[in-house]
Amino acid sequence: MIIESTKGGLAGALREWRTRRRVSQLELAMRAGTTQRHVSFIESGRSTPGRSMIIRLAESLEVPIRERNELLLAAGLAPVYPQTRLDDPQLEPIRTALKRILHGHLPYPAVVVDRHGDLVSANAAFHSLTAGVAAHLLVPPVSVPRVLLHPQGLAPRIVNLDEWAWHIIDRIQAESVRNPDDRLQHLACELTDLAPPRPRESPHHLGFAVPLRLRAHDPADNRELTLITTLTHFGTAIDVTIAELRLEAFLPADQATSAMLAELLTR
């Protein structure tokens, strides 16, 4: 979603995206195979580029395809990237592939989320992991970041909540800056209010990209899961819906966690 840039039409939108990406006119011109003079003319409104040039400039700035449609509309052109409902019969191959990936990741948890972090699909291991989460947090649309950090979600079980919460919040804030979106900004503010104070850095600080340390759901079980995460997306999708899907997979950081996840799945 382009927030303020549409006020200046395509010229303002392109200038805002270039500024956001911290790319000079010359660098953008080189990436897009054009001249700095042409980019300058487009940004000043003195030149109206065609559809092909707009797409090349957008690709060069790594503009998401939803927002590429907005750039085209700002130029008075029709959008070229479709947005198909995920339950549309045309996307059956995609849905089937995602189901296979989620199932193949068992016994480890994995989810598919949209650009706002709302749950699209999950495997049985993730549902086992979230046992005991308050029912209202699991009413669609289910926000996975909220499930993780809410006091009635997994937060009370997260041993390193101070580090993990800010790892999640920083990632959402970075995404909302890179690709502005009101819902992401509101979510980041909500989670910030829920999170403990940001931990003070020590000389050994390695950032907040740390493993998730999670206590067992059963209070009588003093074991602890240690999980690392991976994030995957469709890098070559030309449909807005598919391009915005993210696969987040949780992997065991040690043998004990691997065994415990396998055990949880059989309960």
Side-chain angles (χ1 to χ4, degrees):
M1 176 178 67
I2 297 175
I3 299 175
E4 297 181 355
S5 55
T6 51
K7 295 178 182 179
L10 175 65
L14 180 63
R15 186 168 55 250
E16 184 175 327
W17 277 109
R18 184 178 59 77
T19 301
R20 185 176 296 126
R21 296 295 191 251
R22 299 181 180 180
V23 174
S24 68
Q25 288 185 343
L26 177 59
E27 184 177 353
L28 176 57
M30 293 177 64
R31 291 182 184 180
T34 186
T35 64
Q36 181 180 0
R37 179 184 176 88
H38 191 195
V39 172
S40 176
F41 274 31
I42 294 172
E43 289 191 359
S44 65
R46 297 168 64 187
S47 177
T48 303
R51 178 179 287 106
S52 177
M53 176 55 68
I54 293 173
I55 291 174
R56 280 162 52 193
L57 291 169
E59 285 182 328
S60 300
L61 291 171
E62 298 180 351
V63 177
I65 63 176
R66 176 187 292 272
E67 283 72 22
R68 293 183 199 181
N69 278 341
E70 296 287 347
L71 287 174
L72 291 167
L73 285 169
L77 300 170
V80 297
Y81 301 99
Q83 184 173 356
T84 310
R85 286 178 56 91
L86 192 57
D87 58 3
D88 190 287
Q90 296 181 63
L91 297 188
E92 177 60 28
I94 298 295
R95 293 195 300 273
T96 299
L98 290 173
K99 289 177 183 176
R100 288 177 176 172
I101 292 171
L102 290 173
H103 182 75
H105 195 65
L106 293 172
Y108 310 140
V111 296
V112 176
V113 298
D114 64 16
R115 66 180 180 142
H116 298 119
D118 289 346
L119 185 67
V120 173
S121 187
N123 64 10
F126 181 76
H127 293 306
S128 296
L129 200 68
T130 56
V133 168
H136 70 89
L137 293 175
L138 301 178
V139 175
V142 177
S143 170
V144 173
R146 186 179 293 119
V147 167
L148 286 167
L149 300 186
H150 196 279
Q152 293 178 298
L154 289 178
R157 292 170 51 196
I158 299 178
V159 177
N160 57 336
L161 181 60
D162 54 352
E163 292 180 313
W164 182 258
W166 287 102
H167 162 65
I168 296 293
I169 293 167
D170 286 348
R171 190 173 73 184
I172 293 173
Q173 288 177 333
E175 179 63 22
S176 70
V177 169
R178 182 170 177 77
N179 301 309
D181 183 283
D182 291 343
R183 279 193 59 192
L184 282 179
Q185 292 169 358
H186 291 154
L187 179 61
C189 290
E190 175 192 340
L191 298 181
T192 297
D193 289 339
L194 296 176
R198 186 186 288 270
R200 296 179 61 182
E201 293 185 9
S202 72
H204 307 292
H205 179 68
L206 298 177
F208 295 114
V210 295
L212 169 62
R213 296 172 55 200
L214 191 67
R215 297 184 186 91
H217 171 55
D218 183 356
D221 188 343
N222 60 6
R223 291 179 298 173
E224 181 182 301
L225 293 164
T226 305
L227 301 160
I228 56 177
T229 60
T230 63
L231 199 61
T232 307
H233 65 92
F234 291 89
T236 57
I238 59 171
D239 187 289
V240 173
T241 299
I242 300 172
E244 292 178 347
L245 294 178
R246 301 290 183 269
L247 171 69
E248 185 152 13
F250 295 79
L251 297 167
D254 52 48
Q255 287 291 341
T257 297
S258 180
M260 192 173 172
L261 288 171
E263 177 188 323
L264 286 173
L265 197 60
T266 60
R267 291 181 180 176

